[in-house]
Amino acid sequence: MFTRQTKREAAVKIVAGEQYLTPDATVRRSSRRAVAPKRLHFSPDTPDKKVTEKKTKTEKEKPEKTRIKDEDAEDGVDQTADGHGGLSEYELKRLENIRKNQAFLSSINLLQAREDLHQTTRPKPSQRGLRSQPALKEVLPPRKSLRLQNKPAEKMTPLKEFTALFPRDDMPRVFKKPAGPLLMNPLNQDESFKLPPQLLELCSEDTKERKRNLDLKEYISALKSMTITEDNVVKVVKDRVFSAAFHPCSSSLLMAAGDKWGKVGLWNLGAEWGDDGVLLFEPHSRPVGCMAFSRVHPTQLFSGSYDGSLRCMDVEKAVFDDVYDIDDGLKTFAFMSHDCSTLLVGSWFGEVAIVDRRTPGNSHESLHSLNPKAVRSVSVHPLQMQYFAAAEGRTVSIYDSRYLKKTKSKAVSHLHGHALAITSAYFSSWTGNRVLTSCMDNHIRVYDTSSLTAEPPLLKSISHDMHTGRWLSKISAVWDPKQDDCFVVGSMKRPRRVEVFHESGRLLHSFMDENVGTVLSVTAFHPTRNALLGGNSSGRMHVFYS
């Protein structure tokens, strides 16, 4: 047997590098000693000569390389590797590729386009018009725990007792303004402010003369002459514009707009009163869905609201008279007589009411149920005013007001072909020979109503994006009152624009400008001048005119 000392001597001989073992010293090798452990040959006290020489060489060449690169950048001349302080062939090839790429980008003007893109920024919204007032923050007392105050917890009122105390039927659904006339006190002015006399003079201007239809070439040239500037963009109401109208006066541009929360703004372009010519009133409490100036009494502006009230702003009396009042749901109205004394009013509940202003009170003469769904738009024939078109769901029906019944009234004509809900339907301004409809199936349609048959033929269907979403007002095409065969409509295209079409579907002109950066859902033409307005979701009005 091998002793422990014999095994140790054999292991020492193997480590020492001997190639042989004595026959008496046969040792079994362990797997742990099969590979000798690696040892580092580096010592911090004795640095390697090669590393030291390389480091010194790099420090000597560094200033020379930097100087050569600076001279190379200033001169812009290629240099060979032999005379450039040690630039390698790879570095020279890289510089050459950079120069070629720069030359190619310059040839296609990409660098200039990038600079123009950086300089081009989205224009800021106009700061003209209504001023934003900082909201006053209410200072509340600090909250304290009842437990830390050694007070018992409050008892919660059971749901049944709460319902008994406040029944749902007794709670008002819509907060409305009080019935009766309301004074015209501007919200953006002091209580002592009085309406400027220039406003009454402007509204009293004679507006009987109107322009007739122009030749199509003359009409297009008139559209191209209409421009917009930064001063023509003004905040008229505080919230989203739901309706807008031009006053028919021709000496100046006077406009009105109704917003989401019942406010009505008057804006005279270039005036000095109010906020850049803007006066803001609050005759309603819900969206102002429709408004129109009286053709016979231009000092009067009619406005209908979702809160169920139809009021007449009389600048001469400086009040908002109460014309018609229901619980809620008033959507649209139209004049049924040339003297604007009789009105046709449509509601969200599928009803139309005939209102006569000469009758005392604020009720209707007759009420007729047309459709179980809403009546979104009504339009009266300009010549035969007993006929009116009503947008009911997916069909436009033309009725004769002389034969209306309380329920199940029979229509004279039906305009079919709409796949989704119809947002508006209007007779042409002068003759009534056309009906223009806007539908949520992304189409604008023109029908021939020169002869009121059972189903008037469809003349043209124009594809147009109508899906504005929940934060924008619905887009509706409206006729130009000066041109019986042309209409204007807002657009969702980019860059933002307003488009004018002929009844044949031909695009006549697109109003685009750097001052138009939002969707102008509400549009209207001036009845006598070459002017166009557009309202957006922030309460701003844009005016193109010549």
Side-chain angles (χ1 to χ4, degrees):
M1 293 181 61
F2 294 100
T3 61
R4 187 174 299 175
Q5 184 176 0
T6 308
K7 292 180 181 181
R8 187 180 295 112
E9 291 176 357
V12 171
K13 290 181 180 180
I14 293 173
V15 175
E18 297 182 6
Q19 302 295 330
Y20 60 92
L21 291 174
T22 58
D24 298 335
T26 304
V27 181
R28 291 178 299 174
R29 296 188 179 183
S30 174
S31 60
R32 296 180 182 178
R33 299 183 180 180
V35 179
K38 296 182 179 180
R39 298 182 180 274
L40 295 177
H41 299 285
F42 174 77
S43 177
D45 298 334
T46 58
D48 193 358
K49 292 183 179 181
K50 293 183 179 180
V51 177
T52 307
E53 292 176 359
K54 186 175 181 181
K55 189 173 181 181
T56 307
K57 184 178 180 181
T58 306
E59 292 178 355
K60 290 180 180 180
E61 292 180 356
K62 187 175 180 180
E64 187 176 0
K65 282 186 179 182
T66 306
R67 178 178 56 80
I68 292 172
K69 287 184 179 180
D70 295 340
E71 293 177 357
D72 205 13
E74 293 177 0
D75 298 338
V77 181
D78 293 344
Q79 298 177 354
T80 60
D82 297 333
H84 290 79
L87 280 178
S88 64
E89 183 180 357
Y90 168 77
E91 292 174 341
L92 292 175
K93 190 174 182 180
R94 174 177 168 273
L95 293 175
E96 182 65 22
N97 290 338
I98 292 174
R99 291 191 187 93
K100 289 181 179 179
N101 292 338
Q102 293 289 344
F104 174 73
L105 295 178
S106 300
S107 63
I108 63 175
N109 297 326
L110 185 61
L111 298 177
Q112 182 65 27
R114 191 183 73 169
E115 293 179 1
D116 295 343
L117 183 62
H118 284 300
Q119 293 176 1
T120 304
T121 56
R122 185 177 179 179
K124 294 182 179 180
S126 174
Q127 302 301 320
R128 296 175 58 84
L130 296 177
R131 308 291 189 268
S132 59
Q133 300 177 355
L136 298 177
K137 293 184 178 180
E138 183 181 359
V139 180
L140 300 176
R143 299 178 61 183
K144 296 181 180 179
S145 172
L146 296 177
R147 180 181 62 82
L148 297 178
Q149 300 179 45
N150 296 325
K151 294 182 180 180
E154 296 180 356
K155 294 183 179 180
M156 300 297 295
T157 304
L159 182 60
K160 295 182 179 180
E161 296 181 10
F162 181 82
T163 307
L165 292 175
F166 302 98
R168 186 174 181 179
D169 296 338
D170 296 342
M171 299 178 67
R173 290 182 293 173
V174 179
F175 176 77
K176 297 179 62 173
K177 297 291 181 180
L182 301 176
L183 296 178
M184 291 181 62
N185 295 325
L187 300 178
N188 58 334
Q189 301 298 322
D190 299 333
E191 296 181 358
S192 60
F193 178 82
K194 295 183 179 180
L195 295 179
Q198 297 86 352
L199 179 60
L200 180 59
E201 295 176 2
L202 189 62
C203 293
S204 303
E205 185 178 321
D206 187 12
T207 58
K208 292 183 180 180
E209 296 183 0
R210 292 190 178 185
K211 292 184 179 180
R212 295 293 179 179
N213 284 5
L214 299 175
D215 181 69
L216 200 57
K217 292 183 179 179
E218 297 177 357
Y219 183 69
I220 295 175
S221 62
L223 294 177
K224 292 181 179 180
S225 65
M226 297 163 58
T227 58
I228 187 173
T229 61
E230 185 179 357
D231 296 337
N232 298 354
V233 182
V234 171
K235 189 174 179 63
V236 181
V237 288
K238 292 186 176 181
D239 296 285
R240 185 203 313 179
V241 176
F242 268 70
S243 57
F246 262 117
H247 190 274
C249 65
S250 57
S251 62
S252 181
L253 293 178
L254 178 62
M255 293 147 281
D259 74 350
K260 182 179 179 180
W261 295 110
K263 296 178 179 59
V264 173
L266 287 179
W267 174 33
N268 184 16
L269 182 63
E272 297 181 355
W273 65 65
D275 296 331
D276 297 319
V278 176
L279 297 177
L280 184 65
F281 307 93
E282 192 176 9
H284 307 281
S285 59
R286 295 289 299 278
V288 182
C290 185
M291 61 168 44
F293 283 95
S294 173
R295 295 187 293 266
V296 179
H297 304 285
T299 58
Q300 297 178 354
L301 171 67
F302 291 83
S303 59
S305 173
Y306 290 8
D307 62 5
S309 62
L310 175 62
R311 292 186 177 272
C312 173
M313 182 192 74
D314 195 332
V315 180
E316 189 174 1
K317 298 178 182 179
V319 295
F320 285 93
D321 285 327
D322 199 0
V323 177
Y324 181 58
D325 193 6
I326 57 177
D327 291 338
D328 65 346
L330 194 152
K331 177 63 173 69
T332 180
F333 70 89
F335 298 115
M336 291 193 69
S337 60
H338 293 287
D339 60 354
C340 301
S341 60
T342 307
L343 295 91
L344 180 70
V345 184
S347 70
W348 282 109
F349 308 110
E351 299 173 340
V352 292
I354 298 178
V355 179
D356 194 341
R357 292 197 63 199
R358 296 167 293 187
T359 302
N362 57 358
S363 183
H364 52 258
E365 298 295 323
S366 59
L367 183 64
H368 312 276
S369 179
L370 302 181
N371 191 288
K373 297 183 179 180
V375 175
R376 292 182 174 86
S377 173
V378 292
S379 177
V380 177
H381 197 285
L383 300 180
Q384 307 176 53
M385 305 194 77
Q386 70 271 17
Y387 295 107
F388 68 91
E392 307 171 321
R394 300 183 180 184
T395 305
V396 177
S397 302
I398 299 178
Y399 294 91
D400 190 339
S401 60
R402 299 170 297 182
Y403 301 101
L404 287 177
K405 300 179 181 180
K406 289 187 177 180
T407 58
K408 299 180 180 179
S409 298
K410 186 177 181 181
V412 177
S413 303
H414 293 282
L415 309 183
H416 297 288
H418 304 86
L420 293 176
I422 303 169
T423 57
S424 64
Y426 300 107
F427 279 106
S428 54
S429 305
W430 286 97
T431 62
N433 292 336
R434 303 287 185 267
V435 170
L436 177 68
T437 66
S438 303
C439 184
M440 292 303 295
D441 61 0
N442 293 332
H443 282 85
I444 300 173
R445 295 174 175 86
V446 181
Y447 292 85
D448 183 8
T449 55
S450 55
S451 59
L452 294 178
T453 58
E455 292 187 6
L458 174 65
L459 294 180
K460 188 64 179 178
S461 179
I462 306 169
S463 179
H464 195 81
D465 188 4
M466 292 291 183
H467 290 277
T468 56
R470 62 177 300 185
W471 306 113
L472 303 179
S473 299
K474 299 298 181 184
I475 293 178
S476 296
V478 293
W479 293 104
D480 185 351
K482 304 181 297 298
Q483 199 76 11
D484 201 51
D485 54 357
C486 298
F487 60 90
V488 62
V489 63
S491 177
M492 295 291 293
K493 296 179 182 178
R494 292 180 182 272
R496 300 307 187 190
R497 67 194 70 184
V498 177
E499 297 176 332
V500 180
F501 289 90
H502 187 257
E503 63 177 13
S504 62
R506 174 187 173 188
L507 177 62
L508 301 181
H509 185 63
S510 294
F511 291 95
M512 291 186 293
D513 192 86
E514 60 181 4
N515 294 299
V516 180
T518 56
V519 177
L520 303 182
S521 303
V522 181
T523 55
F525 266 112
H526 196 281
T528 58
R529 291 184 54 177
N530 292 328
L532 170 67
L533 66 80
N536 64 6
S537 61
S538 63
R540 289 178 172 83
M541 300 278 284
H542 302 64
V543 179
F544 297 83
Y545 75 100
S546 58

